[in-house]
Amino acid sequence: MLSRVLAERYSAGVRAGLISVAATSGVLVAFGLGSGSVTRPFLFLGQHLGSYRDVTTPQTAVILAGLLLHAAWIIAWCVAFSLVALDARPWTRIPLALVTVAIAFLASSRIIGSALDYSGIGGARWVLLHLVFAITLYKGTRFAPVGY
């Protein structure tokens, strides 16, 4: 059983994660729209990270898998951040959010690798996505107070 403090931090991290998932998903949809299909980034994630490369898997299932993978990734990082920095002062929480997102950026770049350009979210778009993530990570934990 989690202690009350850990449960509250975990809960705040999930709430902040949902805010970040909404914002970053919106950014990914905008990037997809720019590349011809609003679902392209999620399709790419589903194909790249899952074992959905065969032609028998319905495209909708692959897109849903990509969306769920994206949501799980963002929420996991938000929970990790809230466990470490939820009660930190704002002037220390901002650098901690940037460090957390930098680690997530490096980890996701390592996992996805050079295939980012195919997805329509490579280069500057990848950096912009993570900047939005950093902002929503910081703001999400501010709007997800402990004790609710």
Side-chain angles (χ1 to χ4, degrees), residues 63-110:
I63 292 167
L64 183 59
L67 179 61
L68 292 174
L69 285 167
H70 169 71
W73 182 258
I74 296 293
I75 291 171
W77 282 105
C78 288
V79 168
F81 176 76
S82 72
L83 290 173
V84 173
L86 187 62
D87 56 356
R89 298 196 183 277
W91 55 270
T92 56
R93 196 180 309 163
I94 292 170
L96 287 172
L98 292 173
V99 167
T100 301
V101 171
I103 294 169
F105 176 84
L106 293 173
S108 58
S109 296
R110 185 83 157 158

mmCIF file of all heavy atoms in Angstrom, residues 63-110:
data_model
loop_
_atom_site.group_PDB
_atom_site.id
_atom_site.type_symbol
_atom_site.label_atom_id
_atom_site.label_comp_id
_atom_site.label_asym_id
_atom_site.label_seq_id
_atom_site.Cartn_x
_atom_site.Cartn_y
_atom_site.Cartn_z
ATOM 1 N N ILE A 63 -3.209 3.026 -34.900
ATOM 2 C CA ILE A 63 -3.295 4.421 -34.477
ATOM 3 C C ILE A 63 -3.640 4.497 -33.002
ATOM 4 O O ILE A 63 -3.034 5.270 -32.239
ATOM 5 C CB ILE A 63 -4.320 5.183 -35.341
ATOM 6 C CG1 ILE A 63 -3.801 5.304 -36.772
ATOM 7 C CG2 ILE A 63 -4.628 6.560 -34.755
ATOM 8 C CD1 ILE A 63 -4.846 5.741 -37.775
ATOM 9 N N LEU A 64 -4.600 3.696 -32.569
ATOM 10 C CA LEU A 64 -4.982 3.670 -31.153
ATOM 11 C C LEU A 64 -3.811 3.220 -30.283
ATOM 12 O O LEU A 64 -3.570 3.786 -29.209
ATOM 13 C CB LEU A 64 -6.193 2.762 -30.944
ATOM 14 C CG LEU A 64 -6.738 2.697 -29.534
ATOM 15 C CD1 LEU A 64 -7.167 4.072 -29.048
ATOM 16 C CD2 LEU A 64 -7.901 1.724 -29.468
ATOM 17 N N ALA A 65 -3.063 2.220 -30.750
ATOM 18 C CA ALA A 65 -1.885 1.773 -30.011
ATOM 19 C C ALA A 65 -0.860 2.901 -29.892
ATOM 20 O O ALA A 65 -0.261 3.104 -28.830
ATOM 21 C CB ALA A 65 -1.257 0.555 -30.691
ATOM 22 N N GLY A 66 -0.667 3.648 -30.970
ATOM 23 C CA GLY A 66 0.260 4.781 -30.929
ATOM 24 C C GLY A 66 -0.192 5.858 -29.973
ATOM 25 O O GLY A 66 0.608 6.421 -29.219
ATOM 26 N N LEU A 67 -1.483 6.146 -29.966
ATOM 27 C CA LEU A 67 -2.026 7.138 -29.036
ATOM 28 C C LEU A 67 -1.871 6.676 -27.592
ATOM 29 O O LEU A 67 -1.468 7.462 -26.725
ATOM 30 C CB LEU A 67 -3.498 7.408 -29.358
ATOM 31 C CG LEU A 67 -4.206 8.414 -28.464
ATOM 32 C CD1 LEU A 67 -3.546 9.780 -28.553
ATOM 33 C CD2 LEU A 67 -5.673 8.511 -28.838
ATOM 34 N N LEU A 68 -2.139 5.417 -27.332
ATOM 35 C CA LEU A 68 -1.981 4.881 -25.971
ATOM 36 C C LEU A 68 -0.518 4.856 -25.533
ATOM 37 O O LEU A 68 -0.205 5.147 -24.369
ATOM 38 C CB LEU A 68 -2.601 3.493 -25.879
ATOM 39 C CG LEU A 68 -4.126 3.449 -25.996
ATOM 40 C CD1 LEU A 68 -4.618 2.007 -26.031
ATOM 41 C CD2 LEU A 68 -4.776 4.226 -24.874
ATOM 42 N N LEU A 69 0.373 4.537 -26.454
ATOM 43 C CA LEU A 69 1.801 4.568 -26.128
ATOM 44 C C LEU A 69 2.254 5.992 -25.803
ATOM 45 O O LEU A 69 3.009 6.214 -24.852
ATOM 46 C CB LEU A 69 2.629 4.004 -27.278
ATOM 47 C CG LEU A 69 2.596 2.496 -27.433
ATOM 48 C CD1 LEU A 69 3.187 2.079 -28.769
ATOM 49 C CD2 LEU A 69 3.339 1.821 -26.299
ATOM 50 N N HIS A 70 1.781 6.944 -26.590
ATOM 51 C CA HIS A 70 2.113 8.347 -26.335
ATOM 52 C C HIS A 70 1.603 8.766 -24.965
ATOM 53 O O HIS A 70 2.336 9.365 -24.172
ATOM 54 C CB HIS A 70 1.510 9.235 -27.432
ATOM 55 C CG HIS A 70 1.574 10.697 -27.134
ATOM 56 N ND1 HIS A 70 2.766 11.397 -27.144
ATOM 57 C CD2 HIS A 70 0.610 11.587 -26.784
ATOM 58 C CE1 HIS A 70 2.517 12.662 -26.811
ATOM 59 N NE2 HIS A 70 1.220 12.798 -26.593
ATOM 60 N N ALA A 71 0.344 8.440 -24.659
ATOM 61 C CA ALA A 71 -0.252 8.812 -23.373
ATOM 62 C C ALA A 71 0.490 8.164 -22.210
ATOM 63 O O ALA A 71 0.789 8.823 -21.201
ATOM 64 C CB ALA A 71 -1.727 8.423 -23.352
ATOM 65 N N ALA A 72 0.812 6.891 -22.332
ATOM 66 C CA ALA A 72 1.526 6.193 -21.254
ATOM 67 C C ALA A 72 2.904 6.800 -21.023
ATOM 68 O O ALA A 72 3.335 6.963 -19.872
ATOM 69 C CB ALA A 72 1.639 4.708 -21.592
ATOM 70 N N TRP A 73 3.600 7.137 -22.096
ATOM 71 C CA TRP A 73 4.934 7.737 -21.996
ATOM 72 C C TRP A 73 4.881 9.079 -21.271
ATOM 73 O O TRP A 73 5.640 9.331 -20.338
ATOM 74 C CB TRP A 73 5.512 7.903 -23.396
ATOM 75 C CG TRP A 73 6.892 8.474 -23.466
ATOM 76 C CD1 TRP A 73 7.229 9.751 -23.784
ATOM 77 C CD2 TRP A 73 8.128 7.797 -23.220
ATOM 78 N NE1 TRP A 73 8.584 9.914 -23.760
ATOM 79 C CE2 TRP A 73 9.165 8.734 -23.414
ATOM 80 C CE3 TRP A 73 8.451 6.498 -22.863
ATOM 81 C CZ2 TRP A 73 10.510 8.398 -23.257
ATOM 82 C CZ3 TRP A 73 9.785 6.170 -22.708
ATOM 83 C CH2 TRP A 73 10.796 7.111 -22.907
ATOM 84 N N ILE A 74 3.956 9.934 -21.672
ATOM 85 C CA ILE A 74 3.841 11.264 -21.068
ATOM 86 C C ILE A 74 3.418 11.158 -19.606
ATOM 87 O O ILE A 74 3.997 11.814 -18.737
ATOM 88 C CB ILE A 74 2.828 12.131 -21.871
ATOM 89 C CG1 ILE A 74 3.320 12.374 -23.297
ATOM 90 C CG2 ILE A 74 2.539 13.438 -21.147
ATOM 91 C CD1 ILE A 74 4.556 13.221 -23.426
ATOM 92 N N ILE A 75 2.423 10.338 -19.316
ATOM 93 C CA ILE A 75 1.949 10.199 -17.935
ATOM 94 C C ILE A 75 3.043 9.623 -17.045
ATOM 95 O O ILE A 75 3.215 10.067 -15.903
ATOM 96 C CB ILE A 75 0.660 9.359 -17.876
ATOM 97 C CG1 ILE A 75 -0.491 10.153 -18.502
ATOM 98 C CG2 ILE A 75 0.317 8.959 -16.445
ATOM 99 C CD1 ILE A 75 -1.769 9.367 -18.701
ATOM 100 N N ALA A 76 3.807 8.678 -17.543
ATOM 101 C CA ALA A 76 4.900 8.102 -16.743
ATOM 102 C C ALA A 76 5.921 9.170 -16.361
ATOM 103 O O ALA A 76 6.374 9.225 -15.206
ATOM 104 C CB ALA A 76 5.578 6.970 -17.518
ATOM 105 N N TRP A 77 6.288 10.036 -17.299
ATOM 106 C CA TRP A 77 7.246 11.100 -16.990
ATOM 107 C C TRP A 77 6.649 12.129 -16.035
ATOM 108 O O TRP A 77 7.349 12.668 -15.172
ATOM 109 C CB TRP A 77 7.747 11.772 -18.270
ATOM 110 C CG TRP A 77 8.780 10.926 -18.954
ATOM 111 C CD1 TRP A 77 8.598 10.177 -20.074
ATOM 112 C CD2 TRP A 77 10.127 10.710 -18.534
ATOM 113 N NE1 TRP A 77 9.764 9.510 -20.387
ATOM 114 C CE2 TRP A 77 10.715 9.817 -19.465
ATOM 115 C CE3 TRP A 77 10.895 11.172 -17.484
ATOM 116 C CZ2 TRP A 77 12.027 9.388 -19.354
ATOM 117 C CZ3 TRP A 77 12.219 10.749 -17.376
ATOM 118 C CH2 TRP A 77 12.773 9.870 -18.305
ATOM 119 N N CYS A 78 5.366 12.404 -16.165
ATOM 120 C CA CYS A 78 4.716 13.354 -15.248
ATOM 121 C C CYS A 78 4.643 12.794 -13.835
ATOM 122 O O CYS A 78 4.841 13.530 -12.863
ATOM 123 C CB CYS A 78 3.323 13.716 -15.757
ATOM 124 S SG CYS A 78 3.355 14.788 -17.202
ATOM 125 N N VAL A 79 4.365 11.508 -13.709
ATOM 126 C CA VAL A 79 4.357 10.884 -12.382
ATOM 127 C C VAL A 79 5.755 10.916 -11.782
ATOM 128 O O VAL A 79 5.929 11.255 -10.599
ATOM 129 C CB VAL A 79 3.802 9.441 -12.456
ATOM 130 C CG1 VAL A 79 4.064 8.677 -11.169
ATOM 131 C CG2 VAL A 79 2.317 9.462 -12.766
ATOM 132 N N ALA A 80 6.766 10.600 -12.577
ATOM 133 C CA ALA A 80 8.146 10.656 -12.077
ATOM 134 C C ALA A 80 8.498 12.058 -11.609
ATOM 135 O O ALA A 80 9.105 12.242 -10.544
ATOM 136 C CB ALA A 80 9.119 10.191 -13.165
ATOM 137 N N PHE A 81 8.108 13.060 -12.392
ATOM 138 C CA PHE A 81 8.378 14.445 -12.015
ATOM 139 C C PHE A 81 7.653 14.812 -10.732
ATOM 140 O O PHE A 81 8.225 15.444 -9.843
ATOM 141 C CB PHE A 81 7.955 15.386 -13.146
ATOM 142 C CG PHE A 81 8.100 16.839 -12.803
ATOM 143 C CD1 PHE A 81 9.344 17.436 -12.789
ATOM 144 C CD2 PHE A 81 6.994 17.609 -12.496
ATOM 145 C CE1 PHE A 81 9.491 18.773 -12.468
ATOM 146 C CE2 PHE A 81 7.124 18.948 -12.185
ATOM 147 C CZ PHE A 81 8.377 19.532 -12.170
ATOM 148 N N SER A 82 6.397 14.415 -10.598
ATOM 149 C CA SER A 82 5.638 14.788 -9.400
ATOM 150 C C SER A 82 6.172 14.094 -8.159
ATOM 151 O O SER A 82 6.103 14.649 -7.065
ATOM 152 C CB SER A 82 4.149 14.495 -9.584
ATOM 153 O OG SER A 82 3.903 13.114 -9.562
ATOM 154 N N LEU A 83 6.710 12.902 -8.305
ATOM 155 C CA LEU A 83 7.299 12.218 -7.152
ATOM 156 C C LEU A 83 8.523 12.959 -6.632
ATOM 157 O O LEU A 83 8.791 12.974 -5.433
ATOM 158 C CB LEU A 83 7.661 10.779 -7.506
ATOM 159 C CG LEU A 83 6.493 9.823 -7.721
ATOM 160 C CD1 LEU A 83 6.990 8.481 -8.230
ATOM 161 C CD2 LEU A 83 5.675 9.661 -6.454
ATOM 162 N N VAL A 84 9.249 13.607 -7.529
ATOM 163 C CA VAL A 84 10.474 14.307 -7.154
ATOM 164 C C VAL A 84 10.227 15.768 -6.803
ATOM 165 O O VAL A 84 10.788 16.284 -5.834
ATOM 166 C CB VAL A 84 11.510 14.215 -8.302
ATOM 167 C CG1 VAL A 84 12.727 15.062 -8.027
ATOM 168 C CG2 VAL A 84 11.893 12.778 -8.547
ATOM 169 N N ALA A 85 9.379 16.451 -7.557
ATOM 170 C CA ALA A 85 9.349 17.911 -7.483
ATOM 171 C C ALA A 85 7.999 18.529 -7.171
ATOM 172 O O ALA A 85 7.854 19.735 -7.301
ATOM 173 C CB ALA A 85 9.852 18.477 -8.811
ATOM 174 N N LEU A 86 7.034 17.751 -6.733
ATOM 175 C CA LEU A 86 5.700 18.320 -6.559
ATOM 176 C C LEU A 86 5.660 19.426 -5.520
ATOM 177 O O LEU A 86 5.006 20.440 -5.712
ATOM 178 C CB LEU A 86 4.692 17.228 -6.192
ATOM 179 C CG LEU A 86 3.248 17.680 -6.160
ATOM 180 C CD1 LEU A 86 2.795 18.155 -7.527
ATOM 181 C CD2 LEU A 86 2.355 16.567 -5.664
ATOM 182 N N ASP A 87 6.370 19.256 -4.421
ATOM 183 C CA ASP A 87 6.321 20.274 -3.371
ATOM 184 C C ASP A 87 7.493 21.252 -3.440
ATOM 185 O O ASP A 87 7.704 22.034 -2.516
ATOM 186 C CB ASP A 87 6.238 19.624 -1.992
ATOM 187 C CG ASP A 87 7.378 18.648 -1.743
ATOM 188 O OD1 ASP A 87 8.167 18.424 -2.666
ATOM 189 O OD2 ASP A 87 7.450 18.106 -0.623
ATOM 190 N N ALA A 88 8.225 21.231 -4.541
ATOM 191 C CA ALA A 88 9.342 22.172 -4.705
ATOM 192 C C ALA A 88 8.817 23.569 -5.015
ATOM 193 O O ALA A 88 7.709 23.750 -5.505
ATOM 194 C CB ALA A 88 10.261 21.704 -5.834
ATOM 195 N N ARG A 89 9.613 24.549 -4.719
ATOM 196 C CA ARG A 89 9.240 25.932 -5.035
ATOM 197 C C ARG A 89 9.248 26.118 -6.549
ATOM 198 O O ARG A 89 9.973 25.436 -7.264
ATOM 199 C CB ARG A 89 10.228 26.893 -4.386
ATOM 200 C CG ARG A 89 10.237 26.782 -2.874
ATOM 201 C CD ARG A 89 10.917 28.000 -2.281
ATOM 202 N NE ARG A 89 11.023 27.922 -0.860
ATOM 203 C CZ ARG A 89 10.060 28.258 -0.003
ATOM 204 N NH1 ARG A 89 8.912 28.668 -0.456
ATOM 205 N NH2 ARG A 89 10.257 28.172 1.290
ATOM 206 N N PRO A 90 8.447 27.084 -7.047
ATOM 207 C CA PRO A 90 8.357 27.282 -8.501
ATOM 208 C C PRO A 90 9.708 27.537 -9.170
ATOM 209 O O PRO A 90 9.951 27.050 -10.267
ATOM 210 C CB PRO A 90 7.433 28.494 -8.641
ATOM 211 C CG PRO A 90 6.590 28.462 -7.420
ATOM 212 C CD PRO A 90 7.477 27.910 -6.331
ATOM 213 N N TRP A 91 10.600 28.269 -8.515
ATOM 214 C CA TRP A 91 11.879 28.575 -9.145
ATOM 215 C C TRP A 91 12.786 27.352 -9.212
ATOM 216 O O TRP A 91 13.727 27.325 -9.996
ATOM 217 C CB TRP A 91 12.567 29.741 -8.452
ATOM 218 C CG TRP A 91 12.751 29.558 -6.971
ATOM 219 C CD1 TRP A 91 11.888 29.911 -5.980
ATOM 220 C CD2 TRP A 91 13.873 28.966 -6.317
ATOM 221 N NE1 TRP A 91 12.385 29.579 -4.752
ATOM 222 C CE2 TRP A 91 13.623 29.001 -4.927
ATOM 223 C CE3 TRP A 91 15.072 28.416 -6.761
ATOM 224 C CZ2 TRP A 91 14.503 28.501 -3.981
ATOM 225 C CZ3 TRP A 91 15.957 27.921 -5.820
ATOM 226 C CH2 TRP A 91 15.676 27.964 -4.449
ATOM 227 N N THR A 92 12.516 26.322 -8.421
ATOM 228 C CA THR A 92 13.272 25.068 -8.569
ATOM 229 C C THR A 92 12.507 24.059 -9.415
ATOM 230 O O THR A 92 13.116 23.181 -10.008
ATOM 231 C CB THR A 92 13.599 24.442 -7.202
ATOM 232 O OG1 THR A 92 12.385 24.236 -6.472
ATOM 233 C CG2 THR A 92 14.544 25.303 -6.405
ATOM 234 N N ARG A 93 11.186 24.193 -9.472
ATOM 235 C CA ARG A 93 10.384 23.257 -10.258
ATOM 236 C C ARG A 93 10.594 23.471 -11.756
ATOM 237 O O ARG A 93 10.570 22.515 -12.526
ATOM 238 C CB ARG A 93 8.905 23.413 -9.911
ATOM 239 C CG ARG A 93 8.097 22.237 -10.398
ATOM 240 C CD ARG A 93 6.642 22.336 -10.082
ATOM 241 N NE ARG A 93 6.396 22.621 -8.692
ATOM 242 C CZ ARG A 93 5.248 23.068 -8.234
ATOM 243 N NH1 ARG A 93 4.255 23.276 -9.056
ATOM 244 N NH2 ARG A 93 5.079 23.313 -6.950
ATOM 245 N N ILE A 94 10.817 24.704 -12.176
ATOM 246 C CA ILE A 94 11.029 24.982 -13.604
ATOM 247 C C ILE A 94 12.282 24.270 -14.123
ATOM 248 O O ILE A 94 12.210 23.546 -15.123
ATOM 249 C CB ILE A 94 11.070 26.502 -13.879
ATOM 250 C CG1 ILE A 94 9.680 27.107 -13.630
ATOM 251 C CG2 ILE A 94 11.532 26.793 -15.302
ATOM 252 C CD1 ILE A 94 9.657 28.621 -13.635
ATOM 253 N N PRO A 95 13.445 24.425 -13.467
ATOM 254 C CA PRO A 95 14.613 23.683 -13.960
ATOM 255 C C PRO A 95 14.438 22.168 -13.869
ATOM 256 O O PRO A 95 14.883 21.437 -14.753
ATOM 257 C CB PRO A 95 15.758 24.141 -13.051
ATOM 258 C CG PRO A 95 15.307 25.394 -12.427
ATOM 259 C CD PRO A 95 13.819 25.357 -12.406
ATOM 260 N N LEU A 96 13.745 21.701 -12.825
ATOM 261 C CA LEU A 96 13.499 20.262 -12.714
ATOM 262 C C LEU A 96 12.601 19.763 -13.848
ATOM 263 O O LEU A 96 12.809 18.665 -14.371
ATOM 264 C CB LEU A 96 12.877 19.930 -11.360
ATOM 265 C CG LEU A 96 13.808 20.004 -10.155
ATOM 266 C CD1 LEU A 96 13.022 19.856 -8.861
ATOM 267 C CD2 LEU A 96 14.883 18.945 -10.247
ATOM 268 N N ALA A 97 11.619 20.573 -14.244
ATOM 269 C CA ALA A 97 10.768 20.206 -15.382
ATOM 270 C C ALA A 97 11.599 20.152 -16.668
ATOM 271 O O ALA A 97 11.443 19.230 -17.467
ATOM 272 C CB ALA A 97 9.618 21.194 -15.536
ATOM 273 N N LEU A 98 12.481 21.111 -16.843
ATOM 274 C CA LEU A 98 13.330 21.124 -18.045
ATOM 275 C C LEU A 98 14.267 19.916 -18.074
ATOM 276 O O LEU A 98 14.471 19.308 -19.127
ATOM 277 C CB LEU A 98 14.115 22.429 -18.128
ATOM 278 C CG LEU A 98 13.280 23.680 -18.401
ATOM 279 C CD1 LEU A 98 14.139 24.933 -18.296
ATOM 280 C CD2 LEU A 98 12.614 23.593 -19.765
ATOM 281 N N VAL A 99 14.824 19.569 -16.931
ATOM 282 C CA VAL A 99 15.713 18.402 -16.856
ATOM 283 C C VAL A 99 14.922 17.122 -17.132
ATOM 284 O O VAL A 99 15.376 16.247 -17.877
ATOM 285 C CB VAL A 99 16.432 18.341 -15.492
ATOM 286 C CG1 VAL A 99 17.101 17.004 -15.279
ATOM 287 C CG2 VAL A 99 17.440 19.467 -15.376
ATOM 288 N N THR A 100 13.733 17.015 -16.545
ATOM 289 C CA THR A 100 12.897 15.836 -16.766
ATOM 290 C C THR A 100 12.561 15.683 -18.243
ATOM 291 O O THR A 100 12.675 14.591 -18.811
ATOM 292 C CB THR A 100 11.588 15.931 -15.950
ATOM 293 O OG1 THR A 100 11.924 16.046 -14.565
ATOM 294 C CG2 THR A 100 10.713 14.717 -16.161
ATOM 295 N N VAL A 101 12.168 16.768 -18.883
ATOM 296 C CA VAL A 101 11.812 16.709 -20.299
ATOM 297 C C VAL A 101 13.049 16.457 -21.160
ATOM 298 O O VAL A 101 12.970 15.753 -22.164
ATOM 299 C CB VAL A 101 11.045 17.973 -20.727
ATOM 300 C CG1 VAL A 101 10.859 18.028 -22.228
ATOM 301 C CG2 VAL A 101 9.701 18.020 -20.028
ATOM 302 N N ALA A 102 14.194 16.996 -20.753
ATOM 303 C CA ALA A 102 15.426 16.721 -21.505
ATOM 304 C C ALA A 102 15.761 15.234 -21.461
ATOM 305 O O ALA A 102 16.152 14.651 -22.477
ATOM 306 C CB ALA A 102 16.581 17.553 -20.945
ATOM 307 N N ILE A 103 15.585 14.614 -20.303
ATOM 308 C CA ILE A 103 15.827 13.172 -20.187
ATOM 309 C C ILE A 103 14.813 12.403 -21.035
ATOM 310 O O ILE A 103 15.168 11.464 -21.743
ATOM 311 C CB ILE A 103 15.796 12.732 -18.717
ATOM 312 C CG1 ILE A 103 16.969 13.345 -17.960
ATOM 313 C CG2 ILE A 103 15.832 11.210 -18.604
ATOM 314 C CD1 ILE A 103 16.879 13.194 -16.452
ATOM 315 N N ALA A 104 13.545 12.821 -20.977
ATOM 316 C CA ALA A 104 12.510 12.175 -21.799
ATOM 317 C C ALA A 104 12.814 12.363 -23.284
ATOM 318 O O ALA A 104 12.625 11.443 -24.087
ATOM 319 C CB ALA A 104 11.137 12.749 -21.455
ATOM 320 N N PHE A 105 13.286 13.554 -23.657
ATOM 321 C CA PHE A 105 13.651 13.854 -25.045
ATOM 322 C C PHE A 105 14.768 12.911 -25.517
ATOM 323 O O PHE A 105 14.671 12.302 -26.581
ATOM 324 C CB PHE A 105 14.111 15.309 -25.142
ATOM 325 C CG PHE A 105 14.614 15.725 -26.489
ATOM 326 C CD1 PHE A 105 13.735 16.126 -27.477
ATOM 327 C CD2 PHE A 105 15.974 15.726 -26.773
ATOM 328 C CE1 PHE A 105 14.191 16.527 -28.720
ATOM 329 C CE2 PHE A 105 16.441 16.114 -28.011
ATOM 330 C CZ PHE A 105 15.547 16.510 -28.992
ATOM 331 N N LEU A 106 15.802 12.781 -24.712
ATOM 332 C CA LEU A 106 16.917 11.904 -25.086
ATOM 333 C C LEU A 106 16.483 10.449 -25.143
ATOM 334 O O LEU A 106 16.870 9.715 -26.056
ATOM 335 C CB LEU A 106 18.072 12.096 -24.115
ATOM 336 C CG LEU A 106 18.760 13.460 -24.168
ATOM 337 C CD1 LEU A 106 19.786 13.590 -23.042
ATOM 338 C CD2 LEU A 106 19.423 13.680 -25.518
ATOM 339 N N ALA A 107 15.683 10.032 -24.168
ATOM 340 C CA ALA A 107 15.225 8.643 -24.148
ATOM 341 C C ALA A 107 14.339 8.339 -25.351
ATOM 342 O O ALA A 107 14.515 7.310 -26.010
ATOM 343 C CB ALA A 107 14.481 8.360 -22.846
ATOM 344 N N SER A 108 13.395 9.226 -25.643
ATOM 345 C CA SER A 108 12.501 8.968 -26.770
ATOM 346 C C SER A 108 13.241 9.068 -28.101
ATOM 347 O O SER A 108 12.953 8.308 -29.025
ATOM 348 C CB SER A 108 11.295 9.904 -26.745
ATOM 349 O OG SER A 108 11.700 11.246 -26.773
ATOM 350 N N SER A 109 14.195 9.978 -28.196
ATOM 351 C CA SER A 109 14.999 10.067 -29.421
ATOM 352 C C SER A 109 15.809 8.791 -29.619
ATOM 353 O O SER A 109 15.978 8.324 -30.749
ATOM 354 C CB SER A 109 15.931 11.268 -29.358
ATOM 355 O OG SER A 109 15.200 12.457 -29.320
ATOM 356 N N ARG A 110 16.288 8.252 -28.532
ATOM 357 C CA ARG A 110 17.082 7.013 -28.592
ATOM 358 C C ARG A 110 16.204 5.830 -29.007
ATOM 359 O O ARG A 110 16.624 4.982 -29.783
ATOM 360 C CB ARG A 110 17.713 6.765 -27.224
ATOM 361 C CG ARG A 110 18.617 5.620 -27.172
ATOM 362 C CD ARG A 110 19.947 6.040 -27.667
ATOM 363 N NE ARG A 110 20.936 5.132 -27.130
ATOM 364 C CZ ARG A 110 22.092 4.980 -27.681
ATOM 365 N NH1 ARG A 110 22.409 5.694 -28.730
ATOM 366 N NH2 ARG A 110 22.960 4.159 -27.187
#
